Amino acid sequence: MRKLVLFLSFFLLAAGILEAGPLESRLQKIMNRPEFRHATFGIHFLSLEKKQTLYALNANKFFIPASTTKLITAGSALEILGPDYRFPTRIYRTGEVINETLQGDLVLVASGDPNLSSRVTEGEALLFENEDHSYGGEHSRGVGEDPLRVIRKLAKQVAGHKIKRISGRVLVDATLFKQGDRELGTGVVISPIVVNDNVMDVLVKPGDSENAAVAMKVAPLTSYVRIVNRAITGKSDSDPDLRWDSDIENSDGSRTVTLAGSLPANGPETMFSYAVPDPARYGEMLLTEALREEGIVANARLKEDQPDFKSLATFYKSENQVAEHISPPMKEEIKIILKVSQNLHASMMPYVLASVVAKKEAPQSGFDLMREFLAKAGLNDDAASQEDGAGGSANFTPEFMTSYLAYWARHKEAKTFHDALPILGKDGTLFQIQVYSAAAGHVFAKTGTYGRSDLLHKRVMVDSKALAGYVTTKKGHSLAFAIFVNHVPVSSKPHAIREITGQAMGEIAAAAYELL
């Protein structure tokens, strides 16, 4: 009888029916706040030592997980490609070099490397800013010093082959998989070539007086895009309202875009990134300009010129190679995906898995490989649904997510996976969450945010705010956890999502740190 009572008590506790003492009380106070009165929470805390549920609420129900989806994507890439996988980006010539003139084309063959950018340093580590430049915002800056660092190094290698003139075209072979789909978070184009995360960094700040033009700095500077600045300085109490008003493709394939709207007077400098619509063309023009900086006479292809890359591929041999960049290892790339929630990089991974491993173009083959991995790991993939790599369309149960995290806690690359996560109050997308909490520095977890406009009430509907990862508690216990809240209306004021829902997620994780 005593065993039956204990079993029923544990069952009711796991179901969130029985009082769970101080933790239950703390969590109820958070979830009972007025802002959450129409919302639904899903929570699961799992002891990694005892393999037991310590707290559960709606743990077997589907929730919108937002960018915690990237845990599945990044882990799949780490497992399938391996922690030491590297992307090779190579440049080939299609003719002989005679009297310092290349009698043919110069072709950069894109390999799906997400980091042809200033994230790359002299060592193995990839750089990141806590607020990634592709998302924009007042804390966002370009990553590193030179967004064309890798492209310029490739151009210098070409010059080292005593090439002073290219009689043919400068091309980017981006046929590894079809470019053109846009990732669902920031709208950046998915492509096998990624220079500066396929964006241009546009730093803007208010002018000196009301109605004055906003000041603007652009990187990288390139003829691919000309920005017409029509944005003005508004009243000091106004809200930021910047937008790309028009985007016109010119006859040579370059773009003319118009920046419109306003920034409040005396406001901070902010990042307002421009997502390039044709990354392959962007890459061709940037490489051409880098070659010219090295003193090489070169021209990108004409817009109407459509190269036959299948025929050109016959030249992709070691004897024709004139430049090469080998990326840092995959274990560094998953840090970028998870620390800053890099949407483009995560969205690319199913395409990369499909093309590199399955040797197929469609991303479905990448998802097939991901599902095989989940099955091999012994996970219940019936409790998971995923349509993209970044979290624009997915559903998971909290219980599935903690079982997935528990699998990684036992994996030979457990430290790699764990250390790639944002740290509460310290870095990545958690750098402003629970900064002064005792739990700061003890929670390693992926964030997720998915919201849309509520025009009826001039506010934002947060369809999902999420946090999933690991915590080492004050008592030294190791836990995996998943916290989801769906459908929370918040003000459209800056930082409202972070301060209302983001801090609540952090508070729940901090409560587990203190009380479990």
Side-chain angles (χ1 to χ4, degrees):
M1 178 64 71
R2 184 171 182 273
K3 287 184 178 179
L4 178 61
V5 170
L6 288 172
F7 172 79
L8 288 173
S9 297
F10 177 78
F11 174 80
L12 292 171
L13 177 63
I17 297 169
L18 192 67
E19 285 295 318
L23 179 67
E24 172 76 11
S25 299
R26 182 83 62 88
L27 267 52
Q28 285 297 333
K29 286 180 181 178
I30 297 170
M31 294 186 289
N32 287 338
R33 290 171 183 167
E35 54 264 37
F36 298 127
R37 62 184 177 277
H38 299 304
T40 305
F41 281 85
I43 304 173
H44 195 231
F45 282 99
L46 177 71
S47 167
L48 293 174
E49 294 105 342
K50 297 180 180 179
K51 300 179 183 178
Q52 290 180 346
T53 294
L54 301 181
Y55 178 81
L57 176 66
N58 296 322
N60 63 351
K61 301 297 184 184
F62 272 126
F63 283 84
I64 300 168
S67 283
T68 58
T69 302
K70 294 182 175 79
L71 290 164
I72 313 301
T73 304
S76 297
L78 183 63
E79 172 70 18
I80 296 167
L81 292 172
D84 297 317
Y85 179 81
R86 297 169 188 265
F87 296 91
T89 300
R90 299 184 175 108
I91 296 180
Y92 298 93
R93 55 178 174 82
T94 67
E96 297 299 321
V97 178
I98 301 173
N99 296 325
E100 299 186 326
T101 297
L102 169 57
Q103 304 291 334
D105 299 324
L106 195 72
V107 188
L108 183 153
V109 181
S111 65
D113 186 349
N115 292 299
L116 302 182
S117 66
S118 53
R119 291 190 194 275
V120 178
T121 64
E122 292 300 328
E124 292 288 318
L126 289 170
L127 300 177
F128 68 90
E129 294 287 333
N130 287 328
E131 191 168 289
D132 194 65
H133 66 148
S134 63
Y135 286 96
E138 64 184 84
H139 297 287
S140 180
R141 296 293 180 269
V143 184
E145 296 180 0
D146 181 9
L148 300 182
R149 177 186 177 89
V150 175
I151 297 298
R152 289 194 168 105
K153 287 179 71 174
L154 288 168
K156 190 177 289 293
Q157 290 181 49
V158 174
H161 283 263
K162 297 182 179 179
I163 296 172
K164 294 293 186 182
R165 179 183 297 272
I166 299 170
S167 66
R169 306 158 293 181
V170 175
L171 303 172
V172 167
D173 182 344
T175 58
L176 181 68
F177 57 81
K178 184 180 178 182
Q179 78 165 19
D181 293 341
R182 290 182 181 263
E183 56 90 356
L184 300 179
T186 58
V188 176
V189 174
I190 301 169
S191 172
I193 183 166
V194 181
V195 181
N196 195 43
D197 300 311
N198 286 346
V199 300
M200 290 182 63
D201 298 328
V202 183
L203 272 173
V204 290
K205 64 179 181 180
D208 294 332
S209 60
E210 192 176 326
N211 294 319
V214 303
M216 182 177 70
K217 292 187 290 187
V218 179
L221 289 172
T222 171
S223 60
Y224 175 72
V225 174
R226 184 175 78 91
I227 298 177
V228 178
N229 182 12
R230 291 183 180 160
I232 62 170
T233 305
K235 296 181 181 297
S236 58
D237 59 351
S238 63
D239 292 329
D241 181 29
L242 290 178
R243 62 187 180 277
W244 297 112
D245 203 36
S246 67
D247 188 341
I248 300 168
E249 185 179 24
N250 303 313
S251 59
D252 63 351
S254 65
R255 318 290 301 193
T256 299
V257 298
T258 302
L259 178 66
S262 64
L263 281 178
N266 305 316
E269 185 177 56
T270 189
M271 178 71 75
F272 193 68
S273 296
Y274 169 73
V276 299
D278 186 346
R281 184 60 170 170
Y282 182 47
E284 286 174 347
M285 297 184 79
L286 290 171
L287 178 57
T288 300
E289 291 163 354
L291 291 165
R292 290 172 180 168
E293 288 176 4
E294 293 298 324
I296 300 172
V297 178
N299 292 293
R301 65 176 172 85
L302 298 175
K303 176 190 169 185
E304 60 271 18
D305 182 3
Q306 299 300 314
D308 180 359
F309 286 112
K310 190 173 182 180
S311 296
L312 289 170
T314 61
F315 293 97
Y316 303 165
K317 301 174 183 178
S318 58
E319 59 265 31
N320 297 324
Q321 183 179 307
V322 292
E324 179 183 59
H325 169 70
I326 303 296
S327 75
M330 177 56 61
K331 59 188 175 185
E332 276 296 303
E333 167 54 26
I334 71 152
K335 180 180 72 177
I336 302 303
I337 293 174
L338 297 178
K339 284 283 189 186
V340 300
S341 203
Q342 225 297 334
N343 270 356
L344 174 63
H345 294 208
S347 296
M348 287 176 65
M349 285 303 124
Y351 294 79
V352 169
L353 294 175
S355 57
V356 171
V357 181
K359 306 300 182 185
K360 296 179 181 179
E361 184 176 302
Q364 178 62 57
S365 298
F367 284 107
D368 291 343
L369 289 169
M370 290 169 64
R371 188 177 180 191
E372 287 175 18
F373 156 57
L374 296 176
K376 184 180 175 182
L379 300 170
N380 175 24
D381 61 31
D382 259 0
S385 168
Q386 187 175 347
E387 188 183 7
D388 75 320
S393 180
N395 290 274
F396 298 106
T397 69
E399 204 169 61
F400 170 84
M401 188 62 78
T402 54
S403 67
Y404 176 80
L405 291 164
Y407 166 82
W408 273 105
R410 303 186 300 271
H411 197 278
K412 62 182 180 180
E413 291 295 329
K415 180 173 172 54
T416 299
F417 188 79
H418 177 278
D419 292 354
L421 295 166
I423 306 172
L424 186 73
K426 301 296 182 180
D427 76 2
T429 52
L430 284 175
F431 82 107
Q432 292 177 304
I433 302 299
Q434 296 296 296
V435 175
Y436 302 109
S437 166
H442 300 282
V443 176
F444 289 70
K446 179 72 194 75
T447 58
T449 309
Y450 185 81
R452 55 193 167 81
S453 296
D454 175 6
L455 299 181
L456 186 66
H457 301 96
K458 297 181 181 179
R459 64 186 181 187
V460 175
M461 175 60 73
V462 181
D463 283 332
S464 176
K465 190 67 184 173
L467 189 65
Y470 304 101
V471 55
T472 300
T473 71
K474 198 173 182 178
K475 297 175 183 177
H477 302 308
S478 296
L479 313 179
F481 71 89
I483 310 164
F484 301 144
V485 63
N486 287 177
H487 311 309
V488 184
V490 302
S491 161
S492 59
K493 294 288 185 183
H495 316 311
I497 295 175
R498 182 184 73 211
E499 293 307 314
I500 293 173
T501 58
Q503 296 293 357
M505 298 293 99
E507 283 182 72
I508 292 173
Y513 166 77
E514 293 178 30
L515 302 171
L516 289 179

